[in-house]
């Protein structure tokens, strides 16, 4: 009897206890996103860390929380994280994405990562690094072994930094988007599945794809076992369900990009709109769509919550109608936070609408007051040196070669040829302008051939033996978008800049070139001003000026020191403040002032401004800091004359 009791006791211990497994940290079913097993509505806003000075991440995230959103969507640009092959740059403060995630977590916000590899977003080559073009046989955004190998290396290195921040590991990253609007580009199933498999092996959270509000785009963009998301308002939700027949890609609805503002491009035709005042009907429609989405417990990503700035030469371009239109420095400048991170009237309108749908709206903190902006009185910029005096990289070649061949990604490149025999006729340099060729003979400008106009100008030359022909080529940004079915050439596959191959004048082929590289990452050391006068038509000139700011009180740091810098007397060029490349300016507009974060400035000390004016004509330029951004369209003074 005792033995029977022992056996029964042992059997009882061996019987498993059936319990319900804990819910996944984040996931989704057929209708809802699920946060620890409970329905969760994503109320999100787009803010890309690389477009915001890292010193300001905390304040911008605090303002996101005060808006009532619970999730930040963030694009990650491969060309910022790995600007040169194998040189990972996450230790740079601006690339310290774990710090960005940490701040968001402190504020109780979740994050959706968009690592690409292609992200678009008006960035240079859609965020792809220029050095991919140097890999033999590589074809971007396709089932191409060299591209997939490079992408796998990028994803793996990125995941090493960011995977520990997934919600499955106690962090706040809840989803990862793969590619971006791929249905607008192609329909390569093997490529999409390869990206899915890569991402799924590195991240534990749900993956999703995002495509435009079109049945064909959704069909071609979706990937099996990856949630399909539509962009462009709740009207796209039933379209997604109709277009995507693979049940493994169906699930809750998310408006992947609910556009509340517009990106701008350089050029006199571009129009700037303040959404809250210039387009009231748009705002009414947006509020209506926001209400329709949230009242149905669907999710949304407001694009952009804060657009920020394409600092330096990081903006890309579009190639449409046989012409290049570069994106402006200011990205979605009229979003809910302006470029200086200040709340706009639109912010408060949208906030009031969001709070209607929050059960605990009283717990949402009010936004902090806007910081004042800085006024800097006008000061002079004097000419210091010709661009020739600042070149540090020089090569010689029989024929010109692209920037990429010389391991140069951005900036300018100067091709110089000493004429051996007389030549007359039209100048032909490569297959097309990439993107702007300023032509000089013996140091004086003879014309400009650019891709900014549908019908580029032609330049006719009469060269004599001993003349020096110089072709200065500006990279105005690799194309960031291409649509399948477009009649335009696919410049995603042709990102090369500069000149490659034959240069002819009439029937003469010019051989023997000195090539000077000018990456424009940092301003040169300029010691002595140029005396005399500036002759119109000379090679580009560096200008320099200084201004001093008062000391700040204890604890004030750079609060209230942001400003908008305006350059007068120039045409087109590049601006640095205290060695930091702010970006391009162009008198044609529509952007007439550049955002200067106060974090760049030195209170109580001298602050330096350098300007590289590409077509100088003034002995003195002037600069000033303003408290409002200036928008104005002006005629392009360098447009071809009809």
């Amino acid at each position: 009897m005792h033995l029977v009791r022992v056996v029964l006791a042992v059997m009882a211990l061996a019987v498993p206890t059936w319990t319900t497994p804990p819910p996944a940290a984040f996931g989704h079913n057929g209708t809802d996103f699920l946060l620890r097993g409970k329905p969760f509505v994503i109320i999100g806003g787009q803010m890309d860390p690389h477009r915001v000075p890292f010193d300001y991440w905390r304040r911008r995230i605090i303002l996101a929380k005060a808006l009532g959103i619970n999730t930040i969507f963030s694009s990650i640009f491969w060309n910022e994280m790995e600007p040169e092959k194998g040189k990972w740059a996450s230790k740079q403060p601006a690339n310290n994405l774990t710090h960005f995630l940490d701040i968001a977590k402190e504020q109780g916000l979740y994050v959706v990562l968009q690592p690409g590899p292609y992200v678009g977003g008006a960035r240079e080559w859609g965020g792809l690094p220029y050095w991919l073009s140097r890999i033999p046989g590589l074809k971007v955004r396709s089932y191409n072994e060299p591209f997939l190998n490079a992408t796998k290396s990028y994803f793996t290195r990125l995941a090493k930094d960011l995977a520990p921040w997934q919600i499955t590991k106690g962090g706040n990253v809840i989803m990862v988007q793969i590619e971006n609007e791929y249905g607008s580009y192609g329909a390569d199933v093997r490529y999409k599945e390869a990206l899915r498999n890569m991402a799924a092996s590195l991240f534990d959270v749900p993956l999703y794809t995002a495509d435009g509000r079109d049945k064909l785009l959704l069909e071609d963009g979706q990937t099996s076992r990856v949630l399909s998301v539509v962009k462009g308002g709740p009207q796209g939700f039933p379209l997604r369900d109709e277009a995507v027949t693979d049940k493994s890609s169906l699930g809750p609805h998310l408006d992947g990009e609910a556009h509340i503002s517009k990106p701008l491009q350089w050029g006199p035709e571009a129009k700037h709109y303040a959404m809250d005042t210039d387009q009231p009907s748009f705002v009414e429609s947006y509020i209506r769509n926001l209400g329709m989405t949230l009242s149905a417990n669907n999710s949304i990503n407001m694009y952009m919550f804060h657009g920020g700035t394409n600092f330096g030469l990081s903006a890309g371009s579009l190639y449409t109608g046989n012409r290049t239109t570069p994106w402006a420095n200011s990205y979605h400048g009229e979003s809910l936070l302006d470029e200086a991170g200040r709340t706009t009237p639109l912010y408060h309108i949208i906030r009031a609408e969001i709070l209607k749908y929050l059960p605990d709206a009283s717990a949402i903190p009010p936004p902090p007051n806007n910081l004042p902006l800085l006024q800097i009185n006008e000061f002079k910029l004097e000419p210091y040196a010709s661009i020739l005096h600042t070149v540090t990289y020089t090569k010689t070649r029989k024929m010109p070669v692209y920037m990429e061949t010389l391991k140069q990604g951005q900036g300018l490149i100067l091709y110089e040829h000493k004429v051996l025999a007389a030549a007359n006729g039209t100048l032909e340099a490569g297959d097309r302008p990439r993107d702007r060729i300023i032509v000089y003979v013996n140091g004086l400008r003879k014309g400009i051939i650019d891709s900014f106009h549908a019908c580029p100008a032609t330049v006719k030359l009469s060269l004599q033996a001993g003349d020096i022909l110089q072709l200065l080529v500006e990279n105005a940004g690799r194309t960031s978008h291409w649509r399948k079915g477009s009649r335009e050439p696919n410049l995603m596959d042709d990102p090369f800049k500069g000149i490659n191959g034959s240069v002819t004048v009439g029937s003469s082929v010019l051989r023997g070139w000195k090539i000077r590289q000018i990456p424009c990452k940092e301003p040169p050391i300029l010691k002595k001003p140029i005396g005399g006068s500036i002759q119109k038509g000379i090679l580009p000139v560096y200008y320099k000026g200084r201004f001093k700011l008062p000391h700040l009180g204890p604890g004030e740091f750079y609060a209230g020191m942001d400003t908008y810098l305006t350059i007068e007397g120039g045409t087109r060029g590049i601006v640095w403040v205290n060695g930091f490349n702010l970006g391009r300016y162009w008198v044609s507009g529509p952007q007439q002032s550049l955002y200067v974060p106060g974090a760049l400035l030195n209170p109580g000390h001298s602050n330096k401004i350098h300007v590289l004016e590409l077509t100088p004509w003034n002995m003195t330029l002037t600069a000033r800091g303003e408290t409002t951004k200036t928008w104005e369209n002006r005629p392009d003074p360098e447009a071809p004359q009809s």
Side-chain angles (χ1 to χ4, degrees), residues 544-561:
K544 186 171 76 170
R546 298 172 183 265
F547 64 93
K548 192 172 183 179
L549 297 177
H551 284 281
L552 294 180
E556 288 187 77
F557 196 27
Y558 43 74
M561 288 183 61

mmCIF file with all atom_site columns, all heavy atoms in Angstrom, residues 544-561:
data_model
loop_
_atom_site.group_PDB
_atom_site.id
_atom_site.type_symbol
_atom_site.label_atom_id
_atom_site.label_alt_id
_atom_site.label_comp_id
_atom_site.label_asym_id
_atom_site.label_entity_id
_atom_site.label_seq_id
_atom_site.pdbx_PDB_ins_code
_atom_site.Cartn_x
_atom_site.Cartn_y
_atom_site.Cartn_z
_atom_site.occupancy
_atom_site.B_iso_or_equiv
_atom_site.pdbx_formal_charge
_atom_site.auth_seq_id
_atom_site.auth_comp_id
_atom_site.auth_asym_id
_atom_site.auth_atom_id
_atom_site.pdbx_PDB_model_num
ATOM 1   N N   . LYS A 1 544 ? 34.922 84.793 -45.896 1.00 0.00 ? 544 LYS A N   1
ATOM 2   C CA  . LYS A 1 544 ? 34.949 84.504 -44.463 1.00 0.00 ? 544 LYS A CA  1
ATOM 3   C C   . LYS A 1 544 ? 34.509 85.727 -43.680 1.00 0.00 ? 544 LYS A C   1
ATOM 4   O O   . LYS A 1 544 ? 34.786 86.866 -44.067 1.00 0.00 ? 544 LYS A O   1
ATOM 5   C CB  . LYS A 1 544 ? 36.354 84.069 -44.024 1.00 0.00 ? 544 LYS A CB  1
ATOM 6   C CG  . LYS A 1 544 ? 36.417 83.599 -42.564 1.00 0.00 ? 544 LYS A CG  1
ATOM 7   C CD  . LYS A 1 544 ? 37.761 82.977 -42.220 1.00 0.00 ? 544 LYS A CD  1
ATOM 8   C CE  . LYS A 1 544 ? 38.855 84.016 -42.027 1.00 0.00 ? 544 LYS A CE  1
ATOM 9   N NZ  . LYS A 1 544 ? 40.092 83.429 -41.459 1.00 0.00 ? 544 LYS A NZ  1
ATOM 10  N N   . GLY A 1 545 ? 33.814 85.481 -42.571 1.00 0.00 ? 545 GLY A N   1
ATOM 11  C CA  . GLY A 1 545 ? 33.405 86.558 -41.679 1.00 0.00 ? 545 GLY A CA  1
ATOM 12  C C   . GLY A 1 545 ? 33.300 86.049 -40.253 1.00 0.00 ? 545 GLY A C   1
ATOM 13  O O   . GLY A 1 545 ? 33.343 84.842 -39.997 1.00 0.00 ? 545 GLY A O   1
ATOM 14  N N   . ARG A 1 546 ? 33.173 86.989 -39.335 1.00 0.00 ? 546 ARG A N   1
ATOM 15  C CA  . ARG A 1 546 ? 33.078 86.651 -37.912 1.00 0.00 ? 546 ARG A CA  1
ATOM 16  C C   . ARG A 1 546 ? 31.994 87.481 -37.250 1.00 0.00 ? 546 ARG A C   1
ATOM 17  O O   . ARG A 1 546 ? 31.714 88.608 -37.656 1.00 0.00 ? 546 ARG A O   1
ATOM 18  C CB  . ARG A 1 546 ? 34.408 86.921 -37.185 1.00 0.00 ? 546 ARG A CB  1
ATOM 19  C CG  . ARG A 1 546 ? 35.589 86.109 -37.672 1.00 0.00 ? 546 ARG A CG  1
ATOM 20  C CD  . ARG A 1 546 ? 36.881 86.592 -37.018 1.00 0.00 ? 546 ARG A CD  1
ATOM 21  N NE  . ARG A 1 546 ? 38.061 85.882 -37.508 1.00 0.00 ? 546 ARG A NE  1
ATOM 22  C CZ  . ARG A 1 546 ? 38.602 84.834 -36.916 1.00 0.00 ? 546 ARG A CZ  1
ATOM 23  N NH1 . ARG A 1 546 ? 38.081 84.392 -35.779 1.00 0.00 ? 546 ARG A NH1 1
ATOM 24  N NH2 . ARG A 1 546 ? 39.670 84.240 -37.429 1.00 0.00 ? 546 ARG A NH2 1
ATOM 25  N N   . PHE A 1 547 ? 31.394 86.903 -36.219 1.00 0.00 ? 547 PHE A N   1
ATOM 26  C CA  . PHE A 1 547 ? 30.485 87.674 -35.372 1.00 0.00 ? 547 PHE A CA  1
ATOM 27  C C   . PHE A 1 547 ? 30.636 87.162 -33.940 1.00 0.00 ? 547 PHE A C   1
ATOM 28  O O   . PHE A 1 547 ? 31.009 86.005 -33.713 1.00 0.00 ? 547 PHE A O   1
ATOM 29  C CB  . PHE A 1 547 ? 29.033 87.552 -35.854 1.00 0.00 ? 547 PHE A CB  1
ATOM 30  C CG  . PHE A 1 547 ? 28.465 86.165 -35.767 1.00 0.00 ? 547 PHE A CG  1
ATOM 31  C CD1 . PHE A 1 547 ? 27.755 85.752 -34.644 1.00 0.00 ? 547 PHE A CD1 1
ATOM 32  C CD2 . PHE A 1 547 ? 28.637 85.257 -36.807 1.00 0.00 ? 547 PHE A CD2 1
ATOM 33  C CE1 . PHE A 1 547 ? 27.229 84.471 -34.560 1.00 0.00 ? 547 PHE A CE1 1
ATOM 34  C CE2 . PHE A 1 547 ? 28.118 83.977 -36.739 1.00 0.00 ? 547 PHE A CE2 1
ATOM 35  C CZ  . PHE A 1 547 ? 27.410 83.581 -35.605 1.00 0.00 ? 547 PHE A CZ  1
ATOM 36  N N   . LYS A 1 548 ? 30.357 88.039 -32.990 1.00 0.00 ? 548 LYS A N   1
ATOM 37  C CA  . LYS A 1 548 ? 30.509 87.676 -31.587 1.00 0.00 ? 548 LYS A CA  1
ATOM 38  C C   . LYS A 1 548 ? 29.158 87.727 -30.893 1.00 0.00 ? 548 LYS A C   1
ATOM 39  O O   . LYS A 1 548 ? 28.333 88.594 -31.172 1.00 0.00 ? 548 LYS A O   1
ATOM 40  C CB  . LYS A 1 548 ? 31.498 88.617 -30.890 1.00 0.00 ? 548 LYS A CB  1
ATOM 41  C CG  . LYS A 1 548 ? 31.931 88.151 -29.499 1.00 0.00 ? 548 LYS A CG  1
ATOM 42  C CD  . LYS A 1 548 ? 33.056 89.006 -28.938 1.00 0.00 ? 548 LYS A CD  1
ATOM 43  C CE  . LYS A 1 548 ? 33.515 88.480 -27.583 1.00 0.00 ? 548 LYS A CE  1
ATOM 44  N NZ  . LYS A 1 548 ? 34.624 89.293 -27.026 1.00 0.00 ? 548 LYS A NZ  1
ATOM 45  N N   . LEU A 1 549 ? 28.948 86.777 -29.979 1.00 0.00 ? 549 LEU A N   1
ATOM 46  C CA  . LEU A 1 549 ? 27.703 86.716 -29.227 1.00 0.00 ? 549 LEU A CA  1
ATOM 47  C C   . LEU A 1 549 ? 27.974 87.006 -27.761 1.00 0.00 ? 549 LEU A C   1
ATOM 48  O O   . LEU A 1 549 ? 29.066 86.732 -27.258 1.00 0.00 ? 549 LEU A O   1
ATOM 49  C CB  . LEU A 1 549 ? 27.081 85.317 -29.362 1.00 0.00 ? 549 LEU A CB  1
ATOM 50  C CG  . LEU A 1 549 ? 26.678 84.889 -30.769 1.00 0.00 ? 549 LEU A CG  1
ATOM 51  C CD1 . LEU A 1 549 ? 26.160 83.464 -30.752 1.00 0.00 ? 549 LEU A CD1 1
ATOM 52  C CD2 . LEU A 1 549 ? 25.621 85.825 -31.326 1.00 0.00 ? 549 LEU A CD2 1
ATOM 53  N N   . PRO A 1 550 ? 26.998 87.535 -27.049 1.00 0.00 ? 550 PRO A N   1
ATOM 54  C CA  . PRO A 1 550 ? 27.195 87.797 -25.617 1.00 0.00 ? 550 PRO A CA  1
ATOM 55  C C   . PRO A 1 550 ? 27.275 86.491 -24.831 1.00 0.00 ? 550 PRO A C   1
ATOM 56  O O   . PRO A 1 550 ? 26.811 85.440 -25.273 1.00 0.00 ? 550 PRO A O   1
ATOM 57  C CB  . PRO A 1 550 ? 25.932 88.583 -25.236 1.00 0.00 ? 550 PRO A CB  1
ATOM 58  C CG  . PRO A 1 550 ? 24.909 88.176 -26.251 1.00 0.00 ? 550 PRO A CG  1
ATOM 59  C CD  . PRO A 1 550 ? 25.665 87.947 -27.521 1.00 0.00 ? 550 PRO A CD  1
ATOM 60  N N   . HIS A 1 551 ? 27.870 86.590 -23.628 1.00 0.00 ? 551 HIS A N   1
ATOM 61  C CA  . HIS A 1 551 ? 27.918 85.440 -22.734 1.00 0.00 ? 551 HIS A CA  1
ATOM 62  C C   . HIS A 1 551 ? 26.510 85.080 -22.290 1.00 0.00 ? 551 HIS A C   1
ATOM 63  O O   . HIS A 1 551 ? 25.647 85.943 -22.143 1.00 0.00 ? 551 HIS A O   1
ATOM 64  C CB  . HIS A 1 551 ? 28.770 85.758 -21.505 1.00 0.00 ? 551 HIS A CB  1
ATOM 65  C CG  . HIS A 1 551 ? 30.240 85.736 -21.777 1.00 0.00 ? 551 HIS A CG  1
ATOM 66  N ND1 . HIS A 1 551 ? 30.968 84.572 -21.869 1.00 0.00 ? 551 HIS A ND1 1
ATOM 67  C CD2 . HIS A 1 551 ? 31.118 86.753 -21.982 1.00 0.00 ? 551 HIS A CD2 1
ATOM 68  C CE1 . HIS A 1 551 ? 32.241 84.865 -22.113 1.00 0.00 ? 551 HIS A CE1 1
ATOM 69  N NE2 . HIS A 1 551 ? 32.356 86.182 -22.188 1.00 0.00 ? 551 HIS A NE2 1
ATOM 70  N N   . LEU A 1 552 ? 26.276 83.791 -22.073 1.00 0.00 ? 552 LEU A N   1
ATOM 71  C CA  . LEU A 1 552 ? 25.007 83.342 -21.514 1.00 0.00 ? 552 LEU A CA  1
ATOM 72  C C   . LEU A 1 552 ? 25.150 83.185 -20.012 1.00 0.00 ? 552 LEU A C   1
ATOM 73  O O   . LEU A 1 552 ? 26.241 82.954 -19.493 1.00 0.00 ? 552 LEU A O   1
ATOM 74  C CB  . LEU A 1 552 ? 24.594 82.007 -22.134 1.00 0.00 ? 552 LEU A CB  1
ATOM 75  C CG  . LEU A 1 552 ? 24.256 82.024 -23.626 1.00 0.00 ? 552 LEU A CG  1
ATOM 76  C CD1 . LEU A 1 552 ? 23.877 80.622 -24.085 1.00 0.00 ? 552 LEU A CD1 1
ATOM 77  C CD2 . LEU A 1 552 ? 23.128 82.981 -23.925 1.00 0.00 ? 552 LEU A CD2 1
ATOM 78  N N   . GLY A 1 553 ? 24.030 83.276 -19.338 1.00 0.00 ? 553 GLY A N   1
ATOM 79  C CA  . GLY A 1 553 ? 24.043 83.092 -17.898 1.00 0.00 ? 553 GLY A CA  1
ATOM 80  C C   . GLY A 1 553 ? 24.216 81.631 -17.530 1.00 0.00 ? 553 GLY A C   1
ATOM 81  O O   . GLY A 1 553 ? 24.118 80.738 -18.375 1.00 0.00 ? 553 GLY A O   1
ATOM 82  N N   . PRO A 1 554 ? 24.449 81.345 -16.251 1.00 0.00 ? 554 PRO A N   1
ATOM 83  C CA  . PRO A 1 554 ? 24.631 79.959 -15.803 1.00 0.00 ? 554 PRO A CA  1
ATOM 84  C C   . PRO A 1 554 ? 23.414 79.102 -16.152 1.00 0.00 ? 554 PRO A C   1
ATOM 85  O O   . PRO A 1 554 ? 22.275 79.493 -15.913 1.00 0.00 ? 554 PRO A O   1
ATOM 86  C CB  . PRO A 1 554 ? 24.792 80.106 -14.284 1.00 0.00 ? 554 PRO A CB  1
ATOM 87  C CG  . PRO A 1 554 ? 25.236 81.527 -14.085 1.00 0.00 ? 554 PRO A CG  1
ATOM 88  C CD  . PRO A 1 554 ? 24.579 82.315 -15.167 1.00 0.00 ? 554 PRO A CD  1
ATOM 89  N N   . GLY A 1 555 ? 23.677 77.941 -16.738 1.00 0.00 ? 555 GLY A N   1
ATOM 90  C CA  . GLY A 1 555 ? 22.601 77.009 -17.048 1.00 0.00 ? 555 GLY A CA  1
ATOM 91  C C   . GLY A 1 555 ? 21.848 77.297 -18.327 1.00 0.00 ? 555 GLY A C   1
ATOM 92  O O   . GLY A 1 555 ? 20.985 76.520 -18.733 1.00 0.00 ? 555 GLY A O   1
ATOM 93  N N   . GLU A 1 556 ? 22.141 78.412 -18.987 1.00 0.00 ? 556 GLU A N   1
ATOM 94  C CA  . GLU A 1 556 ? 21.381 78.757 -20.195 1.00 0.00 ? 556 GLU A CA  1
ATOM 95  C C   . GLU A 1 556 ? 21.870 77.992 -21.415 1.00 0.00 ? 556 GLU A C   1
ATOM 96  O O   . GLU A 1 556 ? 21.108 77.728 -22.336 1.00 0.00 ? 556 GLU A O   1
ATOM 97  C CB  . GLU A 1 556 ? 21.471 80.262 -20.456 1.00 0.00 ? 556 GLU A CB  1
ATOM 98  C CG  . GLU A 1 556 ? 20.666 81.103 -19.480 1.00 0.00 ? 556 GLU A CG  1
ATOM 99  C CD  . GLU A 1 556 ? 20.666 82.562 -19.899 1.00 0.00 ? 556 GLU A CD  1
ATOM 100 O OE1 . GLU A 1 556 ? 19.926 82.909 -20.828 1.00 0.00 ? 556 GLU A OE1 1
ATOM 101 O OE2 . GLU A 1 556 ? 21.422 83.339 -19.296 1.00 0.00 ? 556 GLU A OE2 1
ATOM 102 N N   . PHE A 1 557 ? 23.160 77.647 -21.427 1.00 0.00 ? 557 PHE A N   1
ATOM 103 C CA  . PHE A 1 557 ? 23.754 76.904 -22.532 1.00 0.00 ? 557 PHE A CA  1
ATOM 104 C C   . PHE A 1 557 ? 23.391 77.584 -23.842 1.00 0.00 ? 557 PHE A C   1
ATOM 105 O O   . PHE A 1 557 ? 23.629 78.785 -23.999 1.00 0.00 ? 557 PHE A O   1
ATOM 106 C CB  . PHE A 1 557 ? 23.294 75.452 -22.464 1.00 0.00 ? 557 PHE A CB  1
ATOM 107 C CG  . PHE A 1 557 ? 24.119 74.501 -23.307 1.00 0.00 ? 557 PHE A CG  1
ATOM 108 C CD1 . PHE A 1 557 ? 25.442 74.772 -23.603 1.00 0.00 ? 557 PHE A CD1 1
ATOM 109 C CD2 . PHE A 1 557 ? 23.577 73.339 -23.778 1.00 0.00 ? 557 PHE A CD2 1
ATOM 110 C CE1 . PHE A 1 557 ? 26.204 73.902 -24.361 1.00 0.00 ? 557 PHE A CE1 1
ATOM 111 C CE2 . PHE A 1 557 ? 24.324 72.447 -24.544 1.00 0.00 ? 557 PHE A CE2 1
ATOM 112 C CZ  . PHE A 1 557 ? 25.631 72.733 -24.826 1.00 0.00 ? 557 PHE A CZ  1
ATOM 113 N N   . TYR A 1 558 ? 22.799 76.885 -24.812 1.00 0.00 ? 558 TYR A N   1
ATOM 114 C CA  . TYR A 1 558 ? 22.485 77.496 -26.101 1.00 0.00 ? 558 TYR A CA  1
ATOM 115 C C   . TYR A 1 558 ? 20.988 77.755 -26.259 1.00 0.00 ? 558 TYR A C   1
ATOM 116 O O   . TYR A 1 558 ? 20.496 77.899 -27.368 1.00 0.00 ? 558 TYR A O   1
ATOM 117 C CB  . TYR A 1 558 ? 22.983 76.616 -27.251 1.00 0.00 ? 558 TYR A CB  1
ATOM 118 C CG  . TYR A 1 558 ? 22.723 75.153 -27.085 1.00 0.00 ? 558 TYR A CG  1
ATOM 119 C CD1 . TYR A 1 558 ? 21.447 74.628 -27.251 1.00 0.00 ? 558 TYR A CD1 1
ATOM 120 C CD2 . TYR A 1 558 ? 23.758 74.290 -26.751 1.00 0.00 ? 558 TYR A CD2 1
ATOM 121 C CE1 . TYR A 1 558 ? 21.212 73.280 -27.085 1.00 0.00 ? 558 TYR A CE1 1
ATOM 122 C CE2 . TYR A 1 558 ? 23.525 72.935 -26.592 1.00 0.00 ? 558 TYR A CE2 1
ATOM 123 C CZ  . TYR A 1 558 ? 22.253 72.437 -26.757 1.00 0.00 ? 558 TYR A CZ  1
ATOM 124 O OH  . TYR A 1 558 ? 22.025 71.102 -26.590 1.00 0.00 ? 558 TYR A OH  1
ATOM 125 N N   . ALA A 1 559 ? 20.237 77.754 -25.158 1.00 0.00 ? 559 ALA A N   1
ATOM 126 C CA  . ALA A 1 559 ? 18.803 78.016 -25.250 1.00 0.00 ? 559 ALA A CA  1
ATOM 127 C C   . ALA A 1 559 ? 18.565 79.400 -25.840 1.00 0.00 ? 559 ALA A C   1
ATOM 128 O O   . ALA A 1 559 ? 19.141 80.396 -25.388 1.00 0.00 ? 559 ALA A O   1
ATOM 129 C CB  . ALA A 1 559 ? 18.164 77.918 -23.864 1.00 0.00 ? 559 ALA A CB  1
ATOM 130 N N   . GLY A 1 560 ? 17.729 79.456 -26.853 1.00 0.00 ? 560 GLY A N   1
ATOM 131 C CA  . GLY A 1 560 ? 17.402 80.736 -27.464 1.00 0.00 ? 560 GLY A CA  1
ATOM 132 C C   . GLY A 1 560 ? 18.457 81.262 -28.412 1.00 0.00 ? 560 GLY A C   1
ATOM 133 O O   . GLY A 1 560 ? 18.447 82.454 -28.743 1.00 0.00 ? 560 GLY A O   1
ATOM 134 N N   . MET A 1 561 ? 19.375 80.398 -28.867 1.00 0.00 ? 561 MET A N   1
ATOM 135 C CA  . MET A 1 561 ? 20.436 80.862 -29.758 1.00 0.00 ? 561 MET A CA  1
ATOM 136 C C   . MET A 1 561 ? 20.271 80.374 -31.190 1.00 0.00 ? 561 MET A C   1
ATOM 137 O O   . MET A 1 561 ? 21.107 80.649 -32.039 1.00 0.00 ? 561 MET A O   1
ATOM 138 C CB  . MET A 1 561 ? 21.804 80.425 -29.222 1.00 0.00 ? 561 MET A CB  1
ATOM 139 C CG  . MET A 1 561 ? 22.247 81.193 -27.989 1.00 0.00 ? 561 MET A CG  1
ATOM 140 S SD  . MET A 1 561 ? 23.896 80.709 -27.435 1.00 0.00 ? 561 MET A SD  1
ATOM 141 C CE  . MET A 1 561 ? 24.890 81.145 -28.846 1.00 0.00 ? 561 MET A CE  1
#
